[in-house]
Amino acid sequence: MTAYEKLKEARSQNRPTASAYISKLITDPIEFHGDRCFGDDPAIIGGVGLLGNIPVTYIATERGTATEERIKRNFGCPKPEGYRKALRLMKQAEKFHRPVITLVDTSGAFCGKDAEERGQGQAIAENLACMMGLRTPIIAVIIGEGESGGALGIAVADRVYMLENAVYSVISPEGCASILWKDSSRAPEMAENLKITAKYMKKFGIAERIIPEQFDRFHAMCGEMKKILYHDIMLLKEKSCDTLLEERYARFRRIGRVDKSV
């Protein structure tokens, strides 16, 4: 599959949304609502539950399934109150020493006037700063689209995993082609240039693991994901908070580094 074909697969309405994964991965999930500032954003869901026998905080971008639900959830494009809700949950997780698992599937943050009026950029920036210094393990899983700061706002993590047909990019290929070439129809070409696929993300050190997709065996697929998450969270929990933060900082400092010896 080409990069653009993988992008179309990541956008497919037939793919399971974050809620489907949460129902399989998390036992006894309790969803929290509201940012304690403005309101609740259905584009981001989050709460607490059990991963095996480990209490965890889960946070996810949710697109919805039926048209009415998709509209309600802004098609998975969060507003500032969504990011502030995520921030509230992350700080709570740090207080109670709960690992954080995030599921990312968004074409970007909501770009409406109301979102800008309520501080969209600042809300995302505060999340980035908080996650970089959060004193508890964080694992992010890109389950579909992971585009722009809207995705990164809940994806600054110790480990980033991607489904095999998921994509991760600073901007959509259509948006990038429109800006650079004034021609959005060249999106397939731009998708190749942006190297948005899981294969390249792992090669560049942006993602640590690629998870095979087996949607015809979704229950079994989530069972394997659960084993991976449980194992890796246990490894991260063994590290001291200072070591965890040092390694997280080093991980992001390595991204984009050019090896002149190659």
Side-chain angles (χ1 to χ4, degrees), residues 146-167:
E147 292 181 343
S148 191
L152 192 59
I154 61 168
V156 177
D158 302 296
R159 302 284 186 274
V160 174
Y161 305 151
M162 294 180 67
L163 298 193
E164 62 179 309
N165 290 320
V167 297

Side-chain angles (χ1 to χ4, degrees), residues 16-25 62 218 222:
T17 65
S19 293
Y21 288 94
I22 290 167
S23 69
K24 301 294 184 185
L25 297 173
E62 172 60 41
F218 187 62
C222 288

Side-chain angles (χ1 to χ4, degrees), residues 90-104:
M90 288 186 282
K91 288 182 175 179
Q92 183 192 80
E94 180 181 54
K95 178 179 179 180
F96 293 103
H97 308 291
R98 286 194 300 263
V100 176
I101 297 172
T102 71
L103 303 175
V104 181

Side-chain angles (χ1 to χ4, degrees), residues 47-68:
V48 298
L50 294 172
L51 181 77
N53 60 354
I54 307 174
V56 297
T57 291
Y58 66 89
I59 301 168
T61 45
E62 172 60 41
R63 291 176 178 264
T65 51
T67 301
E68 184 177 345

